[in-house]
Amino acid sequence: MTNDTQTSSLKSRLIGLLKKKWTIGLGGLLLAFAGGIIFWGGFNTAMEITNREAFCIGCHEMEENVYREYRNTIHYSNRTGVRATCPDCHVPKEWGHKMIRKIQASNEVLHKILGSIDTPEKFNAKRLQLAQNEWARMKKTDSRECRNCHNYDSMDYAEQNRRGANMHQKGFAEGMTCIDCHKGIAHSLPPVEQAIGVSNHGAAPDVVHPPLPPKPEAEASAPE
């Protein structure tokens, strides 16, 4: 066999080997790409399932306590029919912040297993601590989840009552955020907070005031 023939044969073998490796590499890349899509789709689907209200109230700790309270608030039922569900207020929408919140939720899963708040008595004993933790989180993020719906820049103060418009403008000018005033907007306040009147616009929304007594008959019939 001549040198030219040997060289030609070697080139053919190298080209064939390169084509084979390229095919295998391309196939592996496509397989990895398809696997990544399937994994991401499954992962994202799982995340969306955990972001549904039905998932949030799957534990009786939530269904029997805060969910019952929430159903009696304007966030659940209102004239516009726009409902803010559990994840709308308690789970960030941005992916990075959402993942951090999900990791933090592993501690909540641990306490679910331990039965830390599995009765109304246990839950109410920890209510103040649980509320303070969430208030601190919302304060730290400048009430980020509230502002998904209630954007400061979109507020029309002319459509608000005078007191609300004044308080909003004053609060924003002083660097306050939603949770500074609206602690009792969706859940009952801890007894300590109710006692000191820290709540929505300074009056505990879950405290039911008795009706005023009727006027004395003589006063009611007095001439104008």
Side-chain angles (χ1 to χ4, degrees):
M1 183 179 294
T2 63
N3 290 335
D4 291 341
T5 303
Q6 290 178 344
T7 301
S8 178
S9 177
L10 182 60
K11 286 182 178 180
S12 298
R13 291 174 60 187
L14 287 173
I15 291 173
L17 183 61
L18 289 173
K19 285 183 178 180
K20 184 177 180 181
K21 287 186 175 182
W22 170 256
T23 302
I24 294 174
L26 181 60
L29 182 62
L30 292 174
L31 185 62
F33 182 73
I37 292 176
I38 294 172
F39 172 80
W40 179 253
F43 179 78
N44 190 58
T45 299
M47 288 295 99
E48 288 305 311
I49 290 174
T50 63
N51 277 349
R52 294 176 182 173
E53 187 176 272
F55 179 87
C56 296
I57 62 173
C59 301
H60 77 275
E61 289 87 341
M62 297 296 103
E63 184 177 19
E64 297 299 321
N65 295 289
V66 291
Y67 182 64
R68 286 177 178 266
E69 300 163 2
Y70 152 74
R71 289 183 65 184
N72 294 319
T73 70
I74 197 170
H75 275 144
Y76 183 86
S77 179
N78 53 70
R79 63 182 178 82
T80 63
V82 178
R83 178 179 296 176
T85 63
C86 308
D88 289 327
C89 297
H90 296 288
V91 181
K93 294 188 181 299
E94 295 83 357
W95 193 86
H97 295 303
K98 181 190 294 186
M99 291 303 101
I100 292 173
R101 183 69 189 90
K102 293 297 182 181
I103 293 172
Q104 292 171 343
S106 61
N107 182 57
E108 298 164 16
V109 174
L110 173 62
H111 283 280
K112 163 67 177 176
I113 296 171
L114 295 176
S116 300
I117 55 174
D118 59 353
T119 66
E121 293 75 19
K122 289 181 181 179
F123 185 89
N124 284 320
K126 286 184 173 290
R127 181 183 284 272
L128 179 60
Q129 177 187 344
L130 295 170
Q132 288 176 335
N133 290 343
E134 188 62 7
W135 294 340
R137 183 190 71 81
M138 297 180 79
K139 176 72 172 176
K140 185 178 180 180
T141 63
D142 191 21
S143 302
R144 177 179 52 217
E145 280 66 64
C146 298
R147 291 184 290 105
N148 285 331
C149 296
H150 305 281
N151 192 298
Y152 304 163
D153 298 332
S154 300
M155 286 187 175
D156 185 350
Y157 298 114
E159 295 294 325
Q160 300 179 2
N161 61 51
R162 183 180 300 176
R163 185 186 181 193
N166 290 339
M167 292 186 70
H168 280 140
Q169 293 177 81
K170 182 175 181 291
F172 298 153
E174 294 176 355
M176 297 176 70
T177 186
C178 308
I179 199 60
D180 288 318
C181 297
H182 298 281
K183 288 185 172 70
I185 198 67
H187 302 296
S188 297
L189 288 167
V192 174
E193 297 294 329
Q194 286 187 356
I196 63 177
V198 177
S199 62
N200 187 21
H201 298 311
D206 298 301
V207 175
V208 179
H209 299 281
L212 294 173
K215 292 182 179 180
E217 185 176 347
E219 181 181 349
S221 59
E224 293 294 333

